[in-house]
Amino acid sequence: MGVYLVQFLTGLASASALFLAASGLSIIFGVTRVVNFAHGSFYMLGAYFGFSFVQMVGGGAIGFWVALLLAAVAVGLVGLLVELVILRRLYKAPELFQLIATFGVILIVQDAALWAWGAEDLLGPRAPGLTGIVRIMGTPMPVYDLVLIAVGPLVLLALWLLFNRTRWGVLVRAATEDREMVGALGVNQSLLFTGVFVLGSMLAGLGGAIQLPKGGADLLMDFGILAEVFVVTVVGGMGSIFGAFLAAVLISQLNTFGILIWPGGTLVLMFILMAVILIVRPTGLLGRPETVGHKAAAGFEQALRPAGPHYKLFVGGLLACLAAAPVFVDEFQLVLITDIMVLALFATSLHFLMSTGGLVSFGHAAFYGGGAYTAALLVTYAASPFELALLLAPLGAGMLALVIGWFCVRLSGVYFAMLTLAFAQVAWSVAFQWSEVTNGDDGLLGIWPSLWASGTQVFYYLALVFCVGGIFLIRRVVFAPFGYGLRATRDSTLRAAAIGIDIKRQQLMAFVFAGAMAGLAGGLFAFSKGSVFPDEMSIPRSFDALLMVLLGGVESLSGPFVGAAAFTYLHDELITFEYWRLLVGSTIVALVLLFPQGLAGAAKHHLGRFLKLEADPEAAAPSPRRKAREA
Amino acid sequence: MSAPSTIERATDLPSLAVRNLNKAFGGVQAVRDVSFDLAEGELLALIGPNGAGKSTCFNMLNGQIPADSGSVRLAGEELLGYAPAEIWRRGVGRTFQITATFPSMTVAENVAMVLMSQQRELFSFFRSATHRHRDRAMELLDLVGMTGQADRPCGVLSYGDLKRVELAVALGNTPRVLLMDEPTAGMAPRERLELMGLAARLVGDLGISVLFTEHDMDIVFGHADRIIVLSRGALIAEGNAEQIRNDPLVLKTYLGEGQIYGQAED
Ligand SMILES: Nc1ncnc2c1ncn2[C@@H]1O[C@H](COP(=O)(O)OP(=O)(O)O)[C@@H](O)[C@H]1O
Ligand SMILES: [Mg+2]
């Protein structure tokens, strides 16, 4: 009995830090509509700052708590910097740009922390006077856990007072409920946004700091907490602090008891819980439905026109170069171009989903990896020939997309995006944890093509045919009735439904098609490298795809190709530096701030007018959002 | 094009029979026990002050929001419970108070979209849709006087033109019943009369039954065959222009709400 009670209390204790971080994310999202991907980094910084401040301020009981609060303040200052320098310029940009920018911040913070505190994990200082152990019904439990249990409700109370008893807090609440109204009241919006962002960052920092005595500080904390924080905020209901508290307790209990029941599967359990809750209550436990007008995928409404004559020449020239490449370049470069083509297909499939469907997926790597694993498992366990395995890769990924998409298309906007991330994480953890079949982190090896296709040149041509074919197929679909129907659901769900379009079905088919195409890319990848690792399904890989789409520009169909090339180049150039993450992160942030249309978009914007890259010059329709504002 | 107008229609049944429709939002009873018939080929106006529940009625009729209770029969067949897409396939089209079109598509493509949907081509992955149903779309655009702008993206059109496109879109499948939510809202007075006259003529030619809401009493009295009046979610009056003009309860409702319609008193 005592064991279970202590287990329960331990769950409550770990809920506190999680709640602090999640409430910060939730508050920020509620007011600014930005999903702050760097929130895990703020949590990590809180731990590192806490560690340093405890060393400086000294070991007394008061000094310890002062140090933790100072850590929160320091993280708040970092948040201030991020808001002022980056986010402030992006509030009106499409959501994707904010996400990518905050992802850049993650990378920068990772290297900053590495530089300041080193690569070694830091052992957390113990809280003076609270180092003992109490026995609860005979089972021992650290005293500090009891303190942690109290911190969660205390902060909840403090936030409640802030939001109900202070003018500023009431404003924040009003802004969460209706942003336009607050704007109309003449409140200084940018000040409000900055304040909220700083508050949210401080909460994350405090969360990281208070768990120091239990968990210490290390460089993997950021991604570690991010997935959990996402789950908590979404399950609790975006923007709801009570919801975040409930969900943090729920998730922490699931984790602590889940370990007793199914030790390897806690991640899976957590994401299954999230999926179930979101299907029953699409806006989370205490979240309210989005008011109409907040559209996650805004920024993709531009008209698409078929290729103009010059664009066709350009594509023809590019194809000729690719076909002739083996004559001019060496083997090493040929492998590089193969990689770029595979990534371009992967990115194009995501681009299709985002631009034509308006569906921003954070978990597209699930299908890239899904295709790679389909091929690899077939070769490993069914001794399937290379040709069959390659053809079945898109089928396997498409089936995975059918299952995942069936859940995801019930939601829209940011909830859709987060649910795709959640399922991708499930897919990753299955690949990672089910080592009897997938060989876990060691991956599946020896996945080579048949002899006839194993030469670098032959495989290059094979990849060329499949990747270019896949990209053309996607382009064809965009301009087919299916693509038009999908675009209709993106442009206006009201109108689409009122002319007989089954929106969910159209979106699900798009999700499956995009998944299958990503799976084809994944299958090619597996055979070009001869191996598959869980990394191919991970969050960073999904971000790679988003990044390529962003680099290439969300509005042009050829963008992903440019994006894949730029991505590969950047990656290969920068990875040789010790602080490559810092460089990549800064580059991402700079690109987002300088070229909100992406590289290809920017080039097209400047050159497009006299190069006639599109068939119809009057393509630059203003977004419906802007129109709605003018109306 | 062979329109569903060739489908045999039961003459003894009203096009649309609405019975005891109810809808509450939280504590607000937006629509209360609303019942009415829309006769075959009739132009029926649903009027009432802002917030009376007109749009909510429309949204229930086309399945966009679920009704709390009640029944809506199209030529005898129950519609409630179906999704908007299915209700559209059964022959109920609509336009929106704030126009809803596809801004990234051209005017002609907006209309072609309806035809693709009607002919169930939306899961065709390979053929090109760029000029699909162009001729039929141009015919429809000709009806509303929009052929000149057929190749402009809808996103750049003026509001009045968007209303015209929406009308062409709504007529695209020749519905049995057309719901028009404030078809002339946000337009200049002259343009309003012109558009409503056009709409009335077109639905008359095609034999479509129409339920419309409208704030401009000139338009209501000029075009409606019959008028029903909604106030705070409930129907309070029914009759022709003359009857409604002189109905004491209607006058009180409008005066009581502080919304005086000058045109109602001439
Ligand atoms: N989605 C909704 N949620 C809550 N209340 C609503 C919603 N839609 C309409 N209402 C309320 O229902 C009432 C009727 O609104 P509506 O049907 O739009 O009126 P009308 O079209 O006659 O102007 C109003 O009080 C309005 O505030
Ligand atoms: Mg209305």
Side-chain angles (χ1 to χ4, degrees):
Chain A
M1 189 60 223
V3 180
Y4 290 108
L5 185 61
V6 165
Q7 199 76 11
F8 176 75
L9 291 175
T10 309
L12 282 186
S14 55
S16 281
L18 191 54
F19 162 65
L20 290 191
S23 64
L25 188 80
S26 203
I27 292 169
I28 292 175
F29 174 80
V31 176
T32 66
R33 300 281 139 179
V34 171
V35 178
N36 178 25
F37 268 91
H39 214 67
S41 306
F42 292 166
Y43 179 83
M44 177 174 82
L45 280 180
Y48 275 115
F49 279 129
F51 180 87
S52 296
F53 288 146
V54 168
Q55 282 190 332
M56 284 185 228
V57 179
I62 296 177
F64 176 81
W65 292 102
V66 168
L68 296 196
L69 288 177
L70 279 179
V73 172
V75 175
L77 289 177
V78 174
L80 179 70
L81 193 71
V82 169
E83 205 275 345
L84 288 181
V85 176
I86 303 171
L87 285 174
R88 171 160 292 197
R89 296 153 206 269
L90 295 176
Y91 287 128
K92 293 208 174 69
E95 209 157 71
L96 173 67
F97 290 58
Q98 304 160 355
L99 299 178
I100 297 276
T102 51
F103 186 70
V105 173
I106 294 181
L107 297 179
I108 295 173
V109 169
Q110 273 179 350
D111 267 0
L114 174 66
W115 174 77
W117 287 282
E120 293 283 305
D121 292 1
L122 301 181
L123 203 61
R126 311 190 55 193
L130 300 168
T131 54
I133 278 186
V134 285
R135 287 193 172 269
I136 291 169
M137 296 169 81
T139 314
M141 182 178 169
V143 176
Y144 192 72
D145 274 12
L146 293 175
V147 178
L148 283 182
I149 292 175
V151 168
L154 275 178
V155 171
L156 182 62
L157 181 71
L159 287 174
W160 187 84
L161 287 174
L162 177 68
F163 290 132
N164 289 281
R165 293 281 182 271
T166 68
R167 197 185 112 75
W168 188 80
V170 171
L171 268 181
V172 169
R173 235 166 19 117
T176 305
E177 268 145 41
D178 189 344
R179 263 207 299 178
E180 278 73 26
M181 194 195 74
V182 173
L185 286 178
V187 174
N188 185 338
Q189 256 205 15
S190 51
L191 208 62
L192 189 71
F193 279 26
T194 310
V196 162
F197 200 85
V198 170
L199 174 67
S201 313
M202 284 175 67
L203 284 169
L206 190 62
I210 60 164
Q211 63 79 52
L212 256 183
K214 290 193 74 177
D218 63 76
L219 287 171
L220 296 177
M221 285 172 76
D222 51 355
F223 275 129
I225 195 81
L226 187 64
E228 281 192 40
V229 163
F230 262 32
V231 174
V232 167
T233 4
V234 172
V235 165
M238 298 291 276
S240 164
I241 294 162
F242 276 101
F245 184 74
L246 269 183
V249 170
L250 201 65
I251 298 288
S252 300
Q253 293 300 350
L254 187 80
N255 272 342
T256 37
F257 283 99
I259 284 185
L260 299 182
I261 307 163
W262 183 17
T266 47
L267 247 181
V268 177
L269 278 181
M270 184 164 85
F271 284 100
I272 288 175
L273 176 82
M274 166 162 162
V276 169
I277 288 181
L278 287 183
I279 285 158
V280 180
R281 283 191 62 88
T283 53
L285 291 174
L286 297 180
R288 258 168 304 168
E290 286 278 270
T291 40
V292 192
H294 296 305
K295 205 173 155 217
F300 301 106
E301 299 96 343
Q302 253 69 17
L304 270 183
R305 304 265 57 94
H310 293 77
Y311 188 72
K312 281 181 180 158
L313 264 179
F314 168 71
V315 171
L318 181 67
L319 276 181
C321 287
L322 284 174
V327 182
F328 301 107
V329 307
D330 60 35
E331 258 195 22
F332 174 77
Q333 285 165 321
L334 215 50
V335 171
L336 199 68
I337 303 176
T338 308
D339 289 352
I340 292 176
M341 291 190 304
V342 168
L343 287 178
L345 176 58
F346 178 32
T348 306
S349 67
L350 178 63
H351 180 268
F352 164 77
L353 208 53
M354 296 197 331
S355 68
T356 307
L359 299 165
V360 177
S361 168
F362 288 178
H364 205 52
F367 312 116
Y368 183 70
Y373 269 102
T374 303
L377 290 172
L378 280 170
V379 169
T380 310
Y381 294 102
S384 151
F386 151 75
E387 297 82 1
L388 185 67
L390 185 59
L391 290 177
L392 288 179
L395 199 73
M399 277 175 1
L400 184 64
L402 186 64
V403 175
I404 292 180
W406 191 82
F407 290 99
C408 294
V409 298
R410 290 152 177 262
L411 310 181
S412 53
V414 75
Y415 294 95
F416 171 86
M418 297 182 107
L419 200 56
T420 51
L421 180 130
F423 274 109
Q425 191 70 9
V426 172
W428 173 83
S429 63
V430 167
F432 189 78
Q433 293 178 350
W434 197 16
S435 44
E436 297 85 12
V437 173
T438 63
N439 220 12
D441 209 16
D442 296 330
L444 292 167
L445 308 176
I447 318 297
W448 295 110
S450 302
L451 208 55
W452 67 267
S454 58
T456 308
Q457 282 209 6
V458 178
F459 194 82
Y460 171 82
Y461 279 115
L462 195 81
L464 179 68
V465 168
F466 275 106
C467 291
V468 170
I471 291 170
F472 271 107
L473 177 63
I474 292 172
R475 195 179 160 84
R476 178 100 200 158
V477 169
V478 168
F479 290 104
F482 176 77
Y484 268 73
L486 184 65
R487 196 137 55 87
T489 68
R490 176 204 75 182
D491 272 10
S492 167
T493 49
L494 279 182
R495 177 43 72 202
I499 59 165
I501 299 177
D502 185 335
I503 294 168
K504 296 298 165 210
R505 204 156 63 128
Q506 206 81 20
Q507 290 178 336
L508 180 58
M509 283 310 295
F511 199 76
V512 170
F513 175 64
M517 287 295 111
L520 178 60
L524 285 166
F525 173 82
F527 284 112
S528 77
K529 300 295 169 214
S531 56
V532 183
F533 300 94
D535 279 359
E536 301 322 320
M537 291 185 148
S538 63
I539 298 180
R541 187 68 75 247
S542 290
F543 266 95
D544 289 349
L546 284 166
L547 196 57
M548 285 182 266
V549 171
L550 177 89
L551 282 170
V554 287
E555 283 136 25
S556 77
L557 282 177
S558 60
F561 212 99
V562 179
F567 173 84
T568 308
Y569 174 76
L570 273 178
H571 195 265
D572 289 2
E573 282 297 307
L574 297 179
I575 204 138
T576 51
F577 293 92
E578 188 185 357
Y579 292 108
W580 65 272
R581 286 189 199 83
L582 183 71
L583 287 170
V584 174
S586 320
T587 312
I588 291 173
V589 170
L591 281 175
V592 171
L593 292 180
L594 294 177
F595 302 110
Q597 292 173 298
L599 289 184
K604 211 161 145 181
H605 182 75
H606 295 301
L607 300 173
R609 278 194 213 121
F610 44 89
L611 285 187
K612 287 200 178 63
L613 291 176
E614 285 183 344
D616 181 356
E618 203 184 14
S623 71
R625 229 199 208 178
R626 206 181 318 145
K627 281 206 76 80
R629 229 180 289 132
E630 284 163 5
Chain B
M1 189 191 72
S2 67
S5 58
T6 51
I7 294 170
E8 207 177 301
R9 290 182 179 180
T11 43
D12 51 334
L13 287 169
S15 281
L16 209 60
V18 178
R19 293 291 174 273
N20 306 100
L21 209 51
N22 277 292
K23 182 74 196 181
F25 292 112
V28 183
Q29 191 72 32
V31 172
R32 188 191 310 268
D33 258 339
V34 165
S35 302
F36 62 87
D37 282 342
L38 173 65
E40 187 77 55
E42 186 181 29
L43 235 75
L44 176 63
L46 173 64
I47 66 169
N50 264 329
K54 304 181 296 293
S55 295
T56 306
C57 272
F58 274 39
N59 291 342
M60 287 189 282
L61 294 184
N62 92 312
Q64 203 174 302
I65 60 173
D68 292 344
S69 63
S71 146
V72 175
R73 285 173 185 277
L74 176 73
E77 188 196 6
E78 181 63 53
L79 290 184
L80 285 192
Y82 284 118
E86 291 168 81
I87 291 180
W88 178 83
R89 285 211 184 274
R90 284 172 165 73
V92 180
R94 80 168 285 183
T95 66
F96 293 89
Q97 185 170 339
I98 298 167
T99 55
T101 53
F102 307 125
S104 76
M105 298 183 203
T106 66
V107 169
E109 286 169 347
N110 265 268
V111 180
M113 210 56 247
V114 183
L115 304 168
M116 285 191 261
S117 172
Q118 187 195 19
Q119 296 178 24
R120 299 184 181 277
E121 298 168 346
L122 292 179
F123 288 92
S124 158
F125 277 70
F126 297 106
R127 62 182 126 179
S128 166
T130 29
H131 289 284
R132 213 163 170 71
H133 304 302
R134 174 136 184 124
D135 295 344
R136 173 66 187 146
M138 292 307 273
E139 277 173 44
L140 284 160
L141 288 174
D142 192 35
L143 292 180
V144 298
M146 284 293 294
T147 43
Q149 307 197 58
D151 293 315
R152 301 186 72 196
C154 254
V156 303
L157 295 188
S158 74
Y159 197 65
D161 287 342
L162 278 180
K163 288 267 180 195
R164 286 168 189 274
V165 174
E166 229 197 1
L167 183 59
V169 165
L171 295 176
N173 66 328
T174 325
R176 294 175 177 200
V177 171
L178 179 57
L179 311 171
M180 294 199 285
D181 200 354
E182 308 209 5
T184 73
M187 298 171 78
R190 161 112 45 86
E191 224 188 346
R192 289 174 167 228
L193 282 173
E194 204 182 292
L195 183 71
M196 193 63 206
L198 173 71
R201 205 176 66 242
L202 292 177
V203 296
D205 291 350
L206 295 166
I208 297 171
S209 321
V210 174
L211 175 66
F212 72 103
T213 70
E214 185 52 63
H215 272 295
D216 186 328
M217 288 302 143
D218 279 347
I219 287 179
V220 172
F221 293 145
H223 289 286
D225 297 323
R226 197 160 58 93
I227 300 165
I228 52 180
V229 186
L230 201 61
S231 168
R232 299 186 188 186
L235 283 183
I236 56 165
E238 188 257 306
N240 61 26
E242 194 58 33
Q243 290 163 324
I244 294 299
R245 238 193 282 253
N246 299 319
D247 189 304
L249 201 53
V250 175
L251 285 177
K252 192 169 151 252
T253 303
Y254 277 104
L255 294 173
E257 302 275 342
Q259 279 197 328
I260 305 167
Y261 285 80
Q263 298 95 328
E265 277 148 28
D266 61 11

